[in-house]
Amino acid sequence: MHDIVKDYYGRQLASSEDLKTSACCDPTQLPAWLKPLLARIHPEVLSRYYGCGLVSPALLDGCRVLDLGCGSGRDVYALAQLVGERGEVVGVDMTEEQLEVATRHREHHREAFGYARDNVRFLHGYIERLNELGLEAGSFDVIVSNCVVNLSPDKEAVLDGVSRLLKPGGEFYFSDVYADRRVPAEVRNDPVLYGECLGGALYWNDFLRLAHRSGFADPRLVEDRPLEVTDPALAAKVGNVCFYSATYRLFKLDGLESACEDYGQAVIYRGTIPGHESRFVLDKHHGIEAGRVFPVCGNTWRMLGETRFAPHFDFVGNFERHYGLFEGCGATIPFGRTSADDDPDCGCC
Ligand SMILES: C[S@@+](CC[C@H](N)C(=O)[O-])C[C@H]1O[C@@H](n2cnc3c(N)ncnc32)[C@H](O)[C@@H]1O
């Protein structure tokens, strides 16, 4: 599988235009804050972007970030501006042609960002074998990945490596492709469908099980959108399987429980996160308005209280008394429902 994927991204695709599905983000849908960041990125890097979501969580200034499967570096260079000169972004990819483009433009970006020192690094390697890259355990605040984990033949090894490299309270914030069912063998074994990020996509509930096994007890869905297979011959092969691009955040926190439990707690957002002054979106079900008392389960409390977000919240309550399962914790397919932006009062999980 590694060779098929290297060939696809190293030799067959020359630019995002060559993709045969709508997995890649539509540039017209980009948020306003991202546009000035992308405007400083070299056109050759932009033209070889194959991501399927936005991997820029809030509050990155000064953070150390790792990008798994960074390709030609679009997200690395966008994140390099968000972490600032005090931070660092490390990109890992196995395809030499992709890394060549990324590394060739390092100096261009240092100058474009006005930095005295280069704050990015690119490593050639496999995301299943992060332990071979000389990266220190527990040394990253945030790990991102954009449309890559589906391509890995050993997704559990990827999540285990992520867990090892994250600091306590750090998070894996990543976009990937998921299916509404287990992908049949004829789709999985088709080299083009695999290269297009569909063949290797996990059934969403298998992903949740895998995440739990790697110690990420409560994966949070941030956003999702259905994907279209635009090529008619490929669409016929895919049949009734529905694919989604989805962004999840997985916090490395020891105390998280496998369900959202109610301890009668609440948080109040101080409105102090730059760029998110009126509302902080933790995930698809938690759009937290500044100044408002917002009831939360124990897991959400920890995601806000034991991470880099803690100084931006006031916390009401504790873990002394348990009131049962937090209302609204669901177990059906999580994709395609309203977002936190459409439903401001929703505090469920
Ligand atoms: C769909 S592209 C996404 C690239 C980049 N994240 C972006 O948004 O443009 C997938 C990338 O992941 C890399 N990749 C796939 N599997 C990998 C693996 N097992 N280890 C390292 N890199 C991998 C490929 O070389 C390719 O550059």
Side-chain angles (χ1 to χ4, degrees), residues 326-341:
F326 199 88
E327 208 182 315
C329 243
T332 57
I333 183 166
F335 308 138
R337 307 219 206 103
T338 55
S339 70
D341 282 335

Side-chain angles (χ1 to χ4, degrees), residues 2 9 49-51 69 93-95 98 125-128 146-147:
H2 281 151
Y9 289 96
Y49 169 66
Y50 305 120
D93 205 285
M94 67 177 184
T95 305
Q98 291 273 74
Y126 293 92
I127 62 171
E128 301 82 7
N146 203 340
C147 223

Side-chain angles (χ1 to χ4, degrees), residues 183-201:
V183 175
E186 63 274 18
V187 175
R188 206 170 49 241
N189 296 332
D190 183 289
V192 176
L193 288 174
Y194 200 93
E196 286 280 325
C197 297
L198 303 181

Side-chain angles (χ1 to χ4, degrees), residues 1-2 5-10 13 16 19 23-24 45-46 48-53 55 67-76 92-99 123-130 144-154 158 175-176 194-197:
M1 280 309 176
H2 281 151
V5 173
K6 279 184 194 174
D7 181 63
Y8 204 69
Y9 289 96
L13 298 182
S16 329
L19 290 168
C24 210
V45 169
L46 293 178
R48 295 182 65 116
Y49 169 66
Y50 305 120
C52 56
V55 292
D67 182 2
L68 303 184
C70 60
S72 63
R74 190 198 88 154
D75 289 328
V76 169
V92 176
D93 205 285
M94 67 177 184
T95 305
E96 281 172 22
E97 292 86 342
Q98 291 273 74
L99 281 183
L123 302 175
H124 183 233
Y126 293 92
I127 62 171
E128 301 82 7
R129 296 192 236 141
L130 292 169
V144 302
S145 183
N146 203 340
C147 223
V148 180
V149 177
N150 70 84
L151 295 167
S152 170
D154 188 351
V158 176
S175 300
D176 205 6
Y194 200 93
E196 286 280 325
C197 297

Side-chain angles (χ1 to χ4, degrees), residues 309-328:
F309 301 117
H312 302 275
F313 285 85
D314 292 310
F315 295 85
V316 182
N318 52 44
F319 282 89
E320 275 170 22
R321 190 181 288 257
H322 180 228
Y323 298 93
L325 196 64
F326 199 88
E327 208 182 315

